[in-house]
Every structure is written in C-alpha cells, then in structure tokens.
Amino acid sequence: MEKLNLEVRTICHVVDDKTTVEMVKSGFGFAIMPRLTMYGMEQEVKMLRILPEGNRLIGVSVRDEQELAPAVKKVFEYIRDYCYE
C-alpha cells in the first residue's frame, strides 16, 4: 500500500484470522490476508489476487533439526515443503 501511496482508514483491528474471515463473510468489509493464512478457508469467502503481487520471506532457524519436538518438526517440514514445492 505504501508503494501505491494508498491511504487506509480502518474502524477495527482483529488479531484472529478466523474472526476476520467470519466478519468478512458477514458483510463487514474486506480483508487483505496472506494466502497461507487462508488455507482451509478458501470456500468460505471470495478470494481475489492483488496485483502487483507481493511476497514475503518466512525464515526458520533451528539449532539441531534432529532434536526438534515432534510438533515443531511437523511445522518446520510444512513450511519447508510449502515454500519449495
């Protein structure tokens, strides 16, 4: 939005992604959210691509991949597989 010099006025700020989607679904405006955040909710609202597309880098740092807790290892694998399909 800064690149396009757009002014944004909001009346509320919601932290929870599912709550945001439910508000949009109920007709309370629109939201700009990352595609990864919308995983599993694609059928609930109409999703449109923003042009020009933007990207962001997700970084993960671990001391020793072999010593990760099972849940952390699963998230680590998911992020790696999602980004490098």
Side-chain angles (χ1 to χ4, degrees), residues 4 49-53:
L4 299 173
R49 225 176 255 285
I50 295 176
L51 297 174
E53 289 187 10

Side-chain angles (χ1 to χ4, degrees), residues 5-81:
N5 202 23
L6 296 175
E7 179 184 337
V8 178
R9 288 181 277 171
T10 61
I11 57 171
C12 68
H13 175 79
V14 179
V15 177
D16 181 67
D17 298 326
K18 184 67 175 165
T19 301
T20 301
V21 171
E22 288 298 324
M23 290 177 71
V24 169
K25 210 162 98 173
S26 298
F28 292 101
F30 68 96
I32 298 173
M33 301 174 75
R35 184 175 53 171
L36 183 58
T37 302
M38 296 300 295
Y39 182 78
M41 295 186 269
E42 299 90 348
Q43 303 304 316
E44 295 187 36
V45 293
K46 184 174 184 177
M47 293 173 43
L48 304 171
R49 225 176 255 285
I50 295 176
L51 297 174
E53 289 187 10
N55 293 307
R56 65 182 177 165
L57 179 65
I58 298 175
V60 178
S61 176
V62 296
R63 187 176 297 181
D64 184 351
E65 191 175 342
Q66 304 306 317
E67 295 182 15
L68 296 176
V72 175
K73 190 170 191 167
K74 199 72 168 167
V75 170
F76 183 74
E77 290 170 358
Y78 178 79
I79 291 171
R80 185 181 56 218
D81 294 345

